[in-house]
Amino acid sequence: MNADRPFFSQLKCRECSRLYPKEAIHICEFDFGPLEAAYDYDAIKAAVSREIITRRPQTMWRYREFLPIDGAPTVGTQVGFTPLVRADRLARVLGVEELYIKNDTVNYPTLSFKDRVVSVALSRARELGFKVVACASTGNLANSVAANAAAAGLQSYVLIPADLEQSKVLGSLVYGTNVIAIQGAYDQVNRLCSEIAGKYGWGFVNVNLRPYYAEGSKTMGFEIAEQLGWKLPRHTVVPMASGSLLTKIHKAYKEFIHTGLLDQAPFAVHGAQASGCSPISEAMKKGSEIVKPVPKPDTIVKSLAIGTPADGYYAIRVMKETGGYAEDVTDEEVIAGIKMLAEYSGIFAETAGGVTVACAKKLIESGKIPRNESIVLCITGHGLKTSEAVAGHCGKPRLIKPSLREFEALIAGELSTLNA
Ligand SMILES: *Cc1c(COP(=O)(O)O)cnc(C)c1O
Ligand SMILES: [Zn+2]
């Protein structure tokens, strides 16, 4: 990369714009504002074009000038560039004209969008010389830290609430990481991680490395715009836990406009949560910018169950600024959303995907998303990781002996509909 004039220059406080060196720090000393990566956009504009990006390998690192590392990436070099699928059958049942699924259920290597953030955080952790990396997680982040650390030969500790889905726990343990289950909610896990990070000097991807980690989420937005033919969708619906992904998709769209890769166009970013833990959508619906913590989240959507969302305020600002809305849905609606997505697009999403589909449905039905405008749904994790959420809601196989007669008896009543 360009050593004389680096694209990624410093960290910057989101509140007071004070500049900081690009180290493992995440909070402004003066006002406790979050630190964010700052770039030299003129240098980026001079270095990239649609043609240059298009020629590069199909991974999230094709946008490397917009990512906060100094050298070439060393962790997760294959991550990203997941399919953007035009979903016409799903569009028809939802009663809209132009609908796409950004399908991060097939992100590499751990089947959620968290592989994007971890790729950046661990590449930066190595540049900063960390030997031990760690995270506070609702499941997917732990899976991705464990897998990517294993591949990179870093030691890892992942801290999770004790009540996570089986596949998310196993999906960390299998990599030989240190899984620490905490008897408490995510907020308590996160607070403990802040104490550990301060005391042991480990690289916590979403604590002291958060400014780097968070930037990885932008690549989902970059890809959406490029895959739409270098255009913005009029509406993007994003699931919210801390609210970070939503703010970074917005940042991605703005950066592409700012550097001339996209034409200026109106776009709205909408947020989706589960009603059992919906502090951001509650505030948004009340017209408030004050996010009231949810002390005891109660929902099957564990991946989004963050009661005190770190970026909630900024997510609200983005939704307001772009003319977006927030919605939340019950666990029953989440299950119906998972099934609708599967049956009409062939994509099996985890509970957060059910949230996104069900909230989009509500926003369409209430007229907040007009039926004739383009819509992208961000589907962020794979359904096999949360299979207990839909087990018992999808019917059962019909059991027969290995006999043609039994088979024919079974389908006799269905033949006329099959040939119709
Ligand atoms: C982490 C996560 C999100 C969003 O998280 P933010 O903290 O809001 O960035 C969305 N979906 C899934 C499946 C996740 O694991
Ligand atoms: Zn500050």
Side-chain angles (χ1 to χ4, degrees):
M1 253 171 235
N2 189 340
D4 309 329
R5 197 174 169 190
F7 303 118
F8 165 48
S9 47
Q10 289 171 96
L11 298 179
K12 185 169 153 189
C13 173
R14 212 140 53 163
E15 289 303 321
C16 69
S17 297
R18 267 194 184 80
L19 294 171
Y20 287 84
K22 38 189 184 180
E23 294 164 2
I25 48 176
H26 65 117
I27 294 174
C28 176
E29 288 168 11
F30 294 89
D31 52 21
F32 304 106
L35 303 184
E36 196 177 30
Y39 300 88
D40 182 343
Y41 289 113
D42 292 334
I44 294 177
K45 194 170 177 176
V48 301
S49 66
R50 291 180 184 180
E51 292 67 36
I52 288 172
I53 291 172
T54 308
R55 275 201 301 270
R56 290 178 175 167
Q58 297 199 333
T59 76
M60 61 176 257
W61 289 102
R62 68 211 260 112
Y63 315 106
R64 60 185 178 235
E65 287 84 358
F66 296 90
L67 294 170
I69 64 172
D70 295 330
T74 60
V75 182
T77 54
Q78 318 251 35
V79 175
F81 222 77
T82 57
L84 182 76
V85 182
R86 176 132 188 181
D88 285 335
R89 291 192 71 236
L90 184 60
R92 221 165 300 138
V93 290
L94 289 171
V96 297
E97 284 176 16
E98 191 182 352
L99 180 71
Y100 304 85
I101 308 294
K102 180 56 173 167
N103 185 8
D104 260 21
T105 70
V106 290
N107 214 348
Y108 176 87
T110 65
L111 308 178
S112 89
F113 102 91
K114 291 300 197 303
D115 291 323
R116 300 176 182 277
V117 288
V118 168
S119 173
V120 178
L122 296 196
S123 288
R124 186 64 186 150
R126 272 191 156 169
E127 289 184 343
L128 293 171
F130 286 102
K131 299 282 183 291
V132 182
V133 293
C135 68
S137 173
T138 57
N140 284 317
L141 182 59
N143 294 172
S144 189
V145 166
N148 284 292
L154 291 160
Q155 299 193 69
S156 63
Y157 281 78
V158 302
L159 287 84
I160 54 174
D163 70 344
L164 289 191
E165 299 91 343
Q166 269 190 2
S167 297
K168 293 230 173 121
V169 178
L170 187 66
S172 292
L173 288 169
V174 72
Y175 302 106
T177 182
N178 300 286
V179 180
I180 316 289
I182 311 295
Q183 294 166 328
Y186 175 82
D187 284 333
Q188 295 165 291
V189 179
N190 194 44
R191 222 166 298 136
L192 175 62
C193 285
S194 293
E195 292 180 61
I196 299 170
K199 188 153 184 195
Y200 290 87
W202 295 349
F204 272 84
V205 302
N206 55 343
V207 183
N208 50 349
L209 296 172
R210 192 171 177 87
Y212 310 100
Y213 153 97
E215 290 286 288
S217 291
K218 290 192 308 192
T219 60
M220 200 164 178
F222 293 147
E223 290 173 18
I224 289 169
E226 182 183 345
Q227 289 169 318
L228 275 178
W230 299 99
K231 268 194 344 229
L232 288 176
R234 185 65 185 81
H235 301 273
T236 309
V237 186
V238 187
M240 301 184 291
S242 73
S244 177
L245 174 63
L246 183 140
T247 66
K248 295 295 178 173
I249 285 179
H250 172 253
K251 187 177 180 189
Y253 292 169
K254 300 271 277 196
E255 284 182 339
F256 264 15
I257 292 169
H258 187 63
T259 52
L261 291 166
L262 288 179
D263 294 332
Q264 185 91 44
F267 65 88
V269 185
H270 308 274
Q273 293 204 294
S275 302
C277 183
S278 53
I280 308 176
S281 98
E282 285 305 313
M284 188 64 193
K285 284 173 163 178
K286 279 196 306 210
S288 164
E289 290 187 350
I290 297 162
V291 179
K292 203 165 140 259
V294 173
K296 283 207 169 68
D298 180 15
T299 169
I300 59 168
V301 189
K302 297 178 193 295
S303 57
L304 302 182
I306 296 186
T308 310
D311 293 291
Y313 166 75
Y314 298 102
I316 289 171
R317 294 281 299 273
V318 164
M319 288 185 272
K320 282 191 174 168
E321 186 189 315
T322 63
Y325 295 93
E327 254 314 341
D328 53 79
V329 287
T330 64
D331 287 355
E332 257 171 48
E333 291 171 304
V334 171
I335 292 165
I338 293 172
K339 291 188 66 184
M340 182 187 272
L341 180 66
E343 290 176 22
Y344 290 94
S345 78
I347 293 168
F348 182 18
E350 74 145 76
T351 49
V355 167
T356 304
V357 172
C359 285
K361 181 168 183 281
K362 270 184 145 175
L363 292 168
I364 292 161
E365 284 168 357
S366 64
K368 288 173 175 153
I369 296 181
R371 295 178 185 273
N372 61 348
E373 297 180 348
S374 60
I375 308 165
V376 169
L377 306 183
C378 293
I379 301 300
T380 47
H382 201 285
L384 288 174
K385 293 208 210 187
T386 63
S387 54
E388 48 268 70
V390 284
H393 297 274
C394 301
K396 270 193 276 188
R398 292 179 282 174
L399 187 66
I400 57 169
K401 297 219 171 64
S403 128
L404 182 60
R405 191 175 318 140
E406 282 209 20
F407 181 73
E408 290 184 324
L410 186 83
I411 65 159
E414 296 159 27
L415 278 179
S416 57
T417 62
L418 290 175
N419 295 329

